[in-house]
Amino acid sequence: VELVTDSSTIVAGKRADVAVVLKDSAGAVVNDEFTKINLTLSQVDDEVPEPNTQPQKARFGSDTEDENSEEEGVQTTMLSGRQMVGVIASDNPATLTVRAEIPGTQKAASLTLSVVNEAHLVMESQTLGVVADGRAQMRVEVSARDARNSIITSTQARVKVGVSDASMGKIIE
């Protein structure tokens, strides 16, 4: 069992898709086999909630059907070796742990997700301009930051950077 996501950071209240992947002993994805999976989600808050508030806890998306609500977690049957599971982040900063296990076996996997209040991009450069000679370059660093302006290091989100007017220059990686 393997859990995979594009980014291990989620903005509060937003959804992240997590792939549950079943593999055989050789590491190949299992297909055309019914497999029961138990999914659990635990949360540790990073901050104490405001008094007299009831922030929304993290939960699985409505598209993740629970086949047995009497058991802890979400019970689902997978037909193929890969199934997407939606995780809705809590309303406040927290650390979430998604766990998938095949009941009655030792086969399980866990994935840790960080919930942040907000995320924004910061572009920084040593200089504010560049000489318009067709050769001069300027280095710009782009970082993702949370509400406290701390750098988010646990994300793999893609960022597209461009120049608003192509006649003014180009981006070189």
Side-chain angles (χ1 to χ4, degrees):
V1 179
E2 186 175 274
L3 296 172
V4 181
T5 187
D6 288 339
S7 175
S8 58
T9 302
I10 312 173
V11 174
K14 300 295 183 184
R15 177 189 168 110
D17 288 320
V18 176
V20 180
V21 183
L22 302 178
K23 294 185 176 182
D24 62 19
S25 59
V29 175
V30 174
N31 285 307
D32 300 323
E33 186 175 312
F34 288 101
T35 307
K36 289 197 176 286
I37 297 289
N38 182 21
L39 300 166
T40 55
L41 182 61
S42 60
Q43 174 177 330
V44 175
D45 292 332
D46 291 348
E47 299 175 352
V48 176
E50 294 290 326
N52 301 320
T53 63
Q54 293 293 327
Q56 181 71 44
K57 293 285 191 187
R59 63 200 182 281
F60 288 108
S62 60
D63 58 339
T64 306
E65 185 179 344
D66 189 357
E67 296 171 1
N68 186 350
S69 60
E70 294 179 11
E71 288 188 42
E72 181 184 352
V74 172
Q75 280 52 240
T76 187
T77 302
M78 295 177 59
L79 172 58
S80 67
R82 184 177 177 91
Q83 179 174 323
M84 297 305 286
V85 174
V87 174
I88 311 299
S90 56
D91 287 344
N92 55 320
T95 300
L96 308 178
T97 302
V98 181
R99 181 173 167 79
E101 70 175 301
I102 300 174
T105 72
Q106 298 293 321
K107 297 174 184 170
S110 294
L111 176 70
T112 301
L113 303 170
S114 298
V115 179
V116 296
N117 273 335
E118 66 177 61
H120 59 275
L121 296 177
V122 174
M123 295 179 67
E124 297 176 306
S125 176
Q126 297 293 332
T127 61
L128 296 177
V130 64
V131 177
D133 64 3
R135 293 178 307 228
Q137 296 181 8
M138 178 174 74
R139 180 179 174 88
V140 178
E141 289 189 21
V142 180
S143 59
R145 307 281 178 112
D146 65 14
R148 293 184 213 117
N149 214 31
S150 298
I151 294 176
I152 299 171
T153 59
S154 58
T155 186
Q156 297 169 344
R158 293 181 182 191
V159 175
K160 184 176 182 178
V161 179
V163 178
S164 60
D165 184 346
S167 68
M168 298 294 176
K170 62 183 177 179
I171 303 293
I172 302 172
E173 292 184 35

